[in-house]
Amino acid sequence: MANERWGTDLRLLRDLRQQNDRHPGRDLFVRERLATGLVDLETVTAVANLQQALLLRFLTQQGELEGLGHPTYGSRLYLLIGEPNTPANRNRAKLYVLEALAAEPRVAEVLSVTVETNRADRGRLDIDVHLRPVFSDTVLNLVFPFFIEAGLAGGGLLP
């Protein structure tokens, strides 16, 4: 029942557990039906749909969809691109993630958000979110990279 309430959407992101595969110009994915050989647009449902919705919210600059009637959709993570990787900016990243999660109606409770510098790439923040979705007692863990410093993977969520 929870799966039905979370809905179905088109797959826009390849890796939903650790988003690092969003390439501009290649947003839709397809799958071939084995029985007929016909090609359909790939979809995501249930938990995968929620994961994708959250990642898309983090990827979207807050205010970017104002013209479509969604002025508060998105996050303010983009404000950190080009900033130094400091404790203050890691705390700002955590705040921006918490703000975005508070605006998502499918999130019942945020259990934790941690933001740490990646050991292999100082310009990369690893953001780890634990939350309880609506209509579920199962905790969802979502980990995604965010590239903060300019010149290091171009900033943002793209590697």
Side-chain angles (χ1 to χ4, degrees):
M1 187 152 131
N3 294 344
E4 294 171 10
R5 291 182 178 175
W6 290 341
T8 300
D9 207 345
L10 294 174
R11 178 179 290 278
L12 300 175
L13 304 172
R14 177 61 61 200
D15 185 346
L16 297 178
R17 282 183 288 144
Q18 185 165 348
Q19 170 55 33
N20 60 5
D21 188 27
R22 186 172 192 256
H23 299 289
R26 186 178 166 210
D27 284 339
L28 295 176
F29 296 92
V30 296
R31 64 177 175 81
E32 185 176 342
R33 290 187 200 175
L34 296 177
T36 64
L38 297 175
V39 175
D40 286 331
L41 291 174
E42 194 172 330
T43 59
V44 290
T45 60
V47 173
N49 189 22
L50 178 57
Q51 290 172 314
Q52 177 175 271
L54 292 171
L55 289 168
L56 288 173
R57 187 177 287 273
F58 298 138
L59 283 165
T60 304
Q61 293 182 16
Q62 192 173 50
E64 187 176 348
L65 300 181
E66 184 172 3
L68 298 174
H70 303 284
T72 60
Y73 180 85
S75 79
R76 296 192 297 160
L77 281 171
Y78 73 96
L79 296 173
L80 296 173
I81 296 172
E83 295 293 326
N85 184 351
T86 63
N89 283 331
R90 288 190 296 277
N91 283 333
R92 286 175 59 203
K94 181 177 180 177
L95 171 67
Y96 297 158
V97 167
L98 286 168
E99 288 174 346
L101 291 171
E104 175 56 54
R106 291 176 283 185
V107 173
E109 178 184 11
V110 178
L111 302 173
S112 69
V113 174
T114 59
V115 179
E116 297 179 349
T117 301
N118 182 276
R119 291 181 185 187
D121 182 351
R122 190 155 157 66
R124 172 180 158 175
L125 301 179
D126 290 327
I127 301 175
D128 188 356
V129 177
H130 288 79
L131 60 88
R132 191 173 323 283
V134 295
F135 311 121
S136 176
D137 290 328
T138 303
V139 173
L140 173 66
N141 182 28
L142 183 66
V143 179
F144 63 98
F146 182 76
F147 294 89
I148 189 170
E149 293 183 3
L152 300 171
L157 294 170
L158 301 174

